[in-house]
Amino acid sequence: MKNAPLANIEARFRAYAEKLSTALGHADRVEPFQAYCTGLLLPVDRKSVEPMAAQLAPGRVSAKHQSLHHFVAKASWSDDAVMRAVRDYALPKMQSQGPILAWIVDDTGFPKKGKHSAGVARQYCGQLGKQDNCQCAVSVSVTTLQASLPVAYRLYLPQEWVVDRQRRARVGIPDEVGFQTKPEIALEQLRTLTKTDTPRGVVLADAGYGNDSEFRRGVRGLNLSYGLGIQKSTKVWTPGTEPLPPPEYSGCGRPPKLPRRSPQHTPVKVLKAAQDLPDNAYQTIAWREGVNKVLSSRFAAVRVREGHHYYWRTDRPPEEWLLIEWPEGESEPTKYWLSNLDAAVTLGELVATAKLRWRIERDYQELKQEIGLGHFEGRGWRGFHHHATLCIAAYGFLVAERSSFPPSGPPLRPSFTLPQVPAGWHPRVSSPQAGAT
């Protein structure tokens, strides 16, 4: 593919927005769609409706504000349809530089004040690194070696919101939305994605998802490969061990099907499995170039069977890889993964696959810092998802543009014409955490 001239980036973006606008279902939505996405790509600090309106239409800020606000907070266009259009546009361009390697599951938090924005609650917020008042959304990104793009995105709704009909009504949460854990939301997103023509990738996720045995089982049920983080307390059957067979049938009642339970015959924590391996089982593996150095660490891999609630299972757990990272100088391993990749895969391939999850961090960093994913100041369920969809649409354009350049090329930054705001104008809300509460 030839390098796309940077000088024509605005024209290409207009053509991209026109292509995506066909998913909106109504001609009146085309102009605000293009305007909103343009505002998200402008080099301004705050990407909420009012500041963008001032930049896009300095002479009629109020009218533009009303138009954009209605489009993002009230209009009933389909997030799924726009996300499909973004995916269909960007993925072929991403694949021009290499195949789809992974589907990365993750979630991200948005600090909020107050208690009225949809789904806001005291919960863990990755942006802050602690429990605090925030909203949290679950996503799936499709990834190549050089690029990644979110293709599914949904707000997590805490239990306290699910049962409060008045709060639900105030922010417009649909009646069909019930309580789902984050792994359940992610599994539903993966299930939907498997029904499209999106090329399959290895499902990657951290221990918040991988430690959930039902999530792992659900991913296997979709015939997807995975490399999922787990906690050190996760139990497995090490090589040469497995559950005891059911007791012999006595001839009375139903034949026993569940394994025998014995205090002397149980699965072990992956920490112990790692510590029991000989020193020569660990090898130093490099997986990619970092900013200042090649990233490497010590790893080992061993074939195991999961041991969670084994005594309630009539089936024999499948054999899979336990991947362990034990950096030099550490008193114990720092990370663990379970993977159902083929038994013939090499240790280097296991490590490279598991470590590809870093790309989701790049997605969220750019979506928040460059595009304004966390800048939505409304309270509603629809507005939250519409804003996120438009951010992903704008990000999808950048991903597609970068895919027109060789991986060694310069980082692409949009160079859109920035209109002048009226003299003395200031947005009413400027705090990153303020917003409507």
Side-chain angles (χ1 to χ4, degrees), residues 67-322:
S67 171
L68 295 180
H69 178 266
H70 175 81
F71 176 70
V72 74
K74 304 294 183 182
S76 59
W77 48 272
S78 168
D79 292 293
D80 290 341
V82 175
M83 291 282 274
R84 281 196 301 271
V86 175
R87 185 185 70 224
D88 292 345
Y89 179 90
L91 291 193
K93 299 184 186 308
M94 290 168 56
Q95 290 174 270
S96 69
Q97 291 190 349
I100 300 298
L101 299 177
W103 292 0
I104 306 179
V105 172
D106 204 1
D107 53 76
T108 189
F110 305 95
K112 300 290 285 186
K113 294 181 179 179
K115 59 181 181 180
H116 300 298
S117 296
V120 69
R122 187 168 181 81
Q123 55 192 320
Y124 180 77
C125 179
Q127 183 175 324
L128 302 176
K130 63 178 182 179
Q131 292 260 341
D132 211 330
N133 209 52
C134 67
Q135 295 170 297
C136 190
V138 179
S139 69
V140 177
S141 284
V142 173
T143 305
T144 69
L145 194 60
Q146 287 83 25
S148 57
L149 176 72
V151 294
Y153 189 90
R154 212 207 85 177
L155 182 66
Y156 166 70
L157 200 62
Q159 183 68 48
E160 64 197 72
W161 273 87
V162 174
V163 299
D164 192 330
R165 293 186 178 182
Q166 289 185 341
R167 293 179 86 186
R168 291 176 64 109
R170 280 197 295 266
V171 298
I173 297 173
D175 292 339
E176 64 270 17
V177 177
F179 178 74
Q180 288 180 296
T181 65
K182 293 173 186 175
E184 287 171 342
I185 293 172
L187 194 56
E188 184 177 290
Q189 292 173 327
L190 293 172
R191 187 176 295 112
T192 300
L193 195 56
T194 60
K195 296 175 182 178
T196 70
D197 59 358
T198 304
R200 301 292 179 97
V202 181
V203 176
L204 305 179
D206 64 19
Y209 297 86
N211 225 55
D212 187 319
S213 60
E214 290 302 317
F215 179 74
R216 297 197 303 269
R217 193 169 298 130
V219 176
R220 287 198 299 269
L222 294 173
N223 294 318
L224 295 171
S225 299
Y226 60 72
L228 303 174
I230 55 173
Q231 296 174 349
K232 65 181 181 181
S233 58
T234 302
K235 291 187 176 182
V236 297
W237 296 99
T238 52
T241 68
E242 60 181 82
L244 293 170
E248 290 187 10
Y249 181 44
S250 65
C252 298
R254 295 179 179 178
K257 296 181 179 179
L258 297 176
R260 296 201 308 273
R261 299 175 68 169
S262 167
Q264 291 76 38
H265 190 91
T266 60
V268 300
K269 295 178 181 179
V270 293
L271 171 60
K272 180 171 177 16
Q275 293 171 332
D276 287 346
L277 291 175
D279 287 344
N280 60 10
Y282 290 88
Q283 302 177 36
T284 298
I285 303 289
W287 64 88
R288 70 177 175 89
E289 290 276 352
V291 176
N292 299 315
K293 63 178 181 179
V294 174
L295 301 180
S296 66
S297 187
R298 291 197 319 149
F299 296 89
V302 62
R303 300 291 282 173
V304 300
R305 300 180 192 273
E306 69 175 20
H308 180 71
H309 285 177
Y310 71 93
Y311 38 80
W312 292 118
R313 297 185 61 169
T314 57
D315 61 319
R316 189 186 189 204
E319 195 175 57
E320 56 190 332
W321 287 108
L322 168 62

Side-chain angles (χ1 to χ4, degrees), residues 306-361:
E306 69 175 20
H308 180 71
H309 285 177
Y310 71 93
Y311 38 80
W312 292 118
R313 297 185 61 169
T314 57
D315 61 319
R316 189 186 189 204
E319 195 175 57
E320 56 190 332
W321 287 108
L322 168 62
L323 176 64
I324 306 153
E325 180 178 359
W326 194 336
E328 193 76 43
E330 294 289 340
S331 60
E332 65 178 48
T334 55
K335 292 182 180 178
Y336 308 83
W337 297 263
L338 283 176
S339 175
N340 64 346
L341 287 172
D342 190 87
V345 73
T346 67
L347 180 59
E349 290 169 332
L350 271 176
V351 171
T353 299
K355 289 294 186 177
L356 191 59
R357 205 188 74 81
W358 75 275
R359 292 216 63 96
I360 195 72
E361 299 172 5

